[in-house]
Amino acid sequence: MHTLIFGICIATILFAGHPATAYPLYDRADITVKHEWTQVPHNWELQGEAPSGHPINLRIGLKQGKLDELITTLYEVSDPFHARYGQHLTKEETEALVAPSEETFQAVHNWLAFHGVDISSIAYSPARDWLSLQLPLARVEAMLSTKYHAYQHVERRDTTIRTLSYSLPRALHDHIDVIHPTTLFGNMHDFRATSHITSSGATFDSIAASNGATVKGSAGQDIPISCNTTVTPACLQVLYRTDGYVPKAADKGNRIGIAGYLEQFVNFADLQTFFSMFRIDAVGANVTVISVDGGLNDQSTPGVEANLDTQYTEGLTFPTPNVYYTTPGTAPTINDSVTPPQRDEPYIDWLQFVLSHDDMPQTFTTSYGGDEQTFPIDFATRACNLFAQLGARGASVMFSSGDGGVGAGTCETNDGTNRTIFQPVFPATCPFVTGVGATFHIAPERGIDFSQGGFSVYFPRPAYQAAAVPPFLKNLGSTYAGLFNPAGRGVPDVSAQGEGFQVVVGGSVESVGGTSASSPTFAGIISLLNDFRISQGKPSLGFLNPLLYSVGLPAFTDITLGNNPGCGTPGFNATEGWDAITGLGTPDFVKFQEFLGKL
């Protein structure tokens, strides 16, 4: 360990033993705030100071060298009118674009060395754009000019060690995007409307009572009338016209991935029971479970969310291989009365894990998120750019848009002004993912009241929404002026059924609703379309939105009924064209096949 020479007010500081090596002196007067909260985040309360010896696994996101080129490439390979359409990047090509510059490495290494960090102890991501090192809390506090405290969530009662602000030398702001854990308080939750759970008896009675009666779908197909309230894989297959399609590319590498968090575990026995009831030809098939950072899959505690996701992705895509990623929702901590186990945000962990592999599923679905404003903008931006890497490598990424109508939580800003504002959900607001809202009923489908939609505060409207969103805003006029950002990225992009899903949990059938059901449903259909493409020797669809908002428009059933109340308002209405409750509408698999066969 180098011996630091302090108290010398010169432009550089020398380290004993290495007199020829100069390190910049980061003058205290030149340290500026990187991110701060003006108040303790909603639903968290201060418990006291954190112990100085508490170990922190500090992760530093370095400025990525050619990020603009990566995003330009992403749009080119995702635009069906561009000559590069479908020419997705390899892992190595993607990493070359996000690798930090040598100047960034030098600046950050100098800063760490200045604070006595052993540079050889640093771990790097494959692209070397993330640094990871474990340090005692007191050292981190000195580095970030801050003080950490223990905070407890008032509802969940879990505790986390966080700070309300952190600072860096001004010279480092252009080299460091984000540092974690700092101001990001755990606020991720699943989007599952548990209030809709019913008994198994009522479930089967509703199916039996239909007596085979049907109604006509938007394409003239006969749909069992029981699907109006009781959704099964067969309902979704006929409604979205995937029935009769047999996947052909399972042996050519087509897969679908499901991201699981917060100790939600897939139960294999429940999956087989589900197959025996609702997808008999799939009996004996299973889901591959991959552990991320020690994630478990405890068979004694089946998760409604995990079972919902996997039963319906595989229920729609069998025999396509399904991969469930179990990422832990708790961070390492010391075992004492002051610092009980703390909950963490695992997006970055999961993204880095998936991106570190040469091979990945072509389709992903995630049913988790939180109010956008609860994520520090530096964290949200960095995570969003990681989703851009997934898209550039040929993956389609779906996220639930949320279950809060136009706003869950407090419907108030957290900037100290406490203004009323609609609350969009991140990561669905990230422009590089496809946000999925919810519908219910059939013939016609309607936007359901909990389907969360609106406009991002962090991310501006992307070019692919330039034609679709303005007509909605024009019809809205001055309604809700000041309650949302009309220049922001609009969500959701698309929608699918989200009510009355029959899910086997602990051996019994429960009826579950939420955009947690909609995202795996839409992702299942995209996985089948990827199968169709790959079986023809074509590349996967990759980042979907530029295609969906252009040549994909005729492949949607427009939803024009429903609204999503919240924040003391009726919310947005479903209208002709894109709207902030159902997006572009629900998919028609056959129509998608028709135009994709020509691309």
Side-chain angles (χ1 to χ4, degrees):
M1 180 70 69
H2 296 297
T3 302
L4 295 178
I5 304 177
F6 293 104
I8 306 175
C9 188
I10 55 176
T12 60
I13 191 166
L14 302 181
F15 282 72
H18 297 271
T21 304
Y23 294 82
L25 174 62
Y26 298 108
D27 193 327
R28 298 288 301 178
D30 200 39
I31 290 176
T32 58
V33 172
K34 180 68 173 172
H35 183 263
E36 67 178 340
W37 297 120
T38 58
Q39 58 193 29
V40 176
H42 178 65
N43 274 340
W44 291 92
E45 55 187 17
L46 177 66
Q47 293 294 296
E49 290 190 8
S52 61
H54 176 74
I56 293 287
N57 182 24
L58 199 68
R59 286 173 288 176
I60 303 174
L62 303 185
K63 185 73 67 176
Q64 296 165 318
K66 299 178 181 178
L67 180 63
D68 289 345
E69 185 177 340
L70 170 77
I71 293 175
T72 296
T73 300
L74 168 67
Y75 278 114
E76 289 177 350
V77 301
S78 307
D79 180 357
F81 299 106
H82 199 279
R84 294 185 66 186
Y85 179 67
Q87 298 176 26
H88 303 123
L89 302 183
T90 64
K91 174 177 179 288
E92 291 73 24
E93 290 170 336
T94 302
E95 289 172 354
L97 291 177
V98 300
S101 67
E102 186 58 38
E103 180 185 3
T104 289
F105 276 123
Q106 191 65 49
V108 175
H109 283 175
N110 286 351
W111 172 64
L112 292 173
F114 175 80
H115 285 282
V117 173
D118 179 2
I119 302 301
S120 67
S121 69
I122 298 174
Y124 298 86
S125 64
R128 296 177 65 81
D129 56 338
W130 284 92
L131 308 184
S132 179
L133 62 160
Q134 190 167 87
L135 297 170
L137 181 62
R139 177 80 60 85
V140 175
E141 290 177 331
M143 291 168 58
L144 304 181
S145 300
T146 190
K147 184 67 178 175
Y148 281 75
H149 291 83
Y151 296 88
Q152 186 174 64
H153 195 277
V154 297
E155 296 174 352
R156 298 193 305 261
R157 310 312 297 173
D158 51 332
T159 298
T160 191
I161 304 298
R162 291 294 186 268
T163 179
L164 295 184
S165 71
Y166 73 103
S167 301
L168 292 171
R170 190 184 305 274
L172 288 181
H173 282 240
D174 289 336
H175 298 293
I176 293 177
D177 283 339
V178 64
I179 297 180
H180 181 71
T182 51
T183 55
L184 175 64
F185 284 68
N187 195 45
M188 185 180 72
H189 53 92
D190 59 339
F191 296 124
R192 172 171 44 85
T194 55
S195 60
H196 301 303
I197 290 178
T198 60
S199 69
S200 58
T203 297
F204 294 117
D205 286 347
S206 63
I207 295 176
S210 65
N211 293 319
T214 63
V215 293
K216 293 292 184 182
S218 59
Q221 72 272 42
D222 291 323
I223 306 173
I225 199 169
S226 62
C227 298
N228 200 52
T229 56
T230 307
V231 176
T232 65
C235 290
L236 299 173
Q237 287 176 314
V238 67
L239 178 62
Y240 299 134
R241 299 216 288 168
T242 68
D243 53 323
Y245 181 81
V246 179
K248 312 173 188 66
D251 59 347
K252 297 180 180 180
N254 189 43
R255 291 175 293 161
I256 181 170
I258 305 98
Y261 303 112
L262 306 183
E263 289 74 55
Q264 279 280 327
F265 306 132
V266 178
N267 188 272
F268 301 135
D270 284 344
L271 183 61
Q272 295 307 312
T273 301
F274 179 84
F275 286 154
S276 69
M277 297 172 66
F278 302 116
R279 187 71 201 256
I280 191 68
D281 59 327
V283 170
N286 213 333
V287 174
T288 298
V289 175
I290 294 180
S291 172
V292 179
D293 290 345
L296 305 176
N297 193 46
D298 188 346
Q299 293 300 289
S300 67
T301 56
V304 176
E305 182 61 64
N307 280 3
L308 164 65
D309 289 345
T310 53
Q311 288 172 17
Y312 277 85
T313 53
E314 189 144 21
L316 285 171
T317 66
F318 174 80
T320 302
N322 280 227
V323 180
Y324 183 81
Y325 295 88
T326 173
T327 305
T330 55
T333 186
I334 56 176
N335 296 317
D336 61 27
S337 59
V338 178
T339 316
Q342 54 183 298
R343 189 166 295 281
D344 204 0
E345 292 291 346
Y347 289 131
I348 300 296
D349 293 336
W350 179 81
L351 283 161
Q352 285 189 256
F353 178 87
V354 173
L355 288 167
S356 70
H357 291 77
D358 291 309
D359 191 24
M360 67 171 68
Q362 295 82 353
T363 310
F364 291 100
T365 178
T366 309
S367 297
Y368 301 80
D371 291 350
E372 183 184 71
Q373 70 169 2
T374 65
F375 293 86
I377 189 170
D378 52 2
F379 176 92
T381 301
R382 185 60 184 246
C384 188
N385 291 337
L386 285 168
F387 289 119
Q389 292 183 51
L390 281 179
R393 288 180 56 183
S396 304
V397 183
M398 267 59 65
F399 265 90
S400 300
S401 71
D403 288 358
V406 291
T410 65
C411 292
E412 293 182 350
T413 58
N414 60 356
D415 58 3
T417 64
N418 297 325
R419 293 177 294 109
T420 300
I421 188 173
F422 292 165
Q423 299 284 359
V425 159
F426 179 81
T429 56
C430 171
F432 308 130
V433 307
T434 301
V436 187
T439 60
F440 74 132
H441 290 176
I442 54 174
E445 286 186 88
R446 303 171 58 98
I448 199 165
D449 57 359
F450 60 70
S451 183
Q452 197 149 353
F455 298 85
S456 173
V457 174
Y458 289 171
F459 304 104
R461 182 186 307 144
Y464 57 75
Q465 289 190 323
V469 172
F472 174 80
L473 294 172
K474 182 178 180 180
N475 289 335
L476 189 65
S478 61
T479 305
Y480 305 143
L483 295 180
F484 68 94
N485 173 27
R489 182 267 202 272
V491 287
D493 298 297
V494 298
S495 53
Q497 286 280 305
E499 176 81 332
F501 277 56
Q502 305 309 291
V503 181
V504 178
V505 183
S508 300
V509 175
E510 294 181 352
S511 186
V512 180
T515 52
S516 277
S518 308
S519 184
T521 296
F522 192 87
I525 293 165
I526 295 301
S527 183
L528 292 178
L529 292 171
N530 274 327
D531 178 276
F532 174 67
R533 294 268 296 172
I534 293 169
S535 68
Q536 294 184 329
K538 298 178 179 179
S540 60
L541 291 171
F543 174 41
L544 294 170
N545 296 2
L547 178 142
L548 300 182
Y549 282 88
S550 56
V551 294
L553 287 173
F556 285 97
T557 300
D558 193 10
I559 308 300
T560 59
L561 299 172
N563 64 295
N564 54 354
C567 301
T569 75
F572 297 117
N573 290 321
T575 61
E576 183 178 347
W578 182 91
D579 55 68
I581 173 173
T582 64
L584 299 173
T586 57
D588 185 317
F589 179 77
V590 173
K591 290 182 179 179
F592 265 104
Q593 276 186 294
E594 289 172 357
F595 78 80
L596 287 177
K598 303 173 185 177
L599 284 180

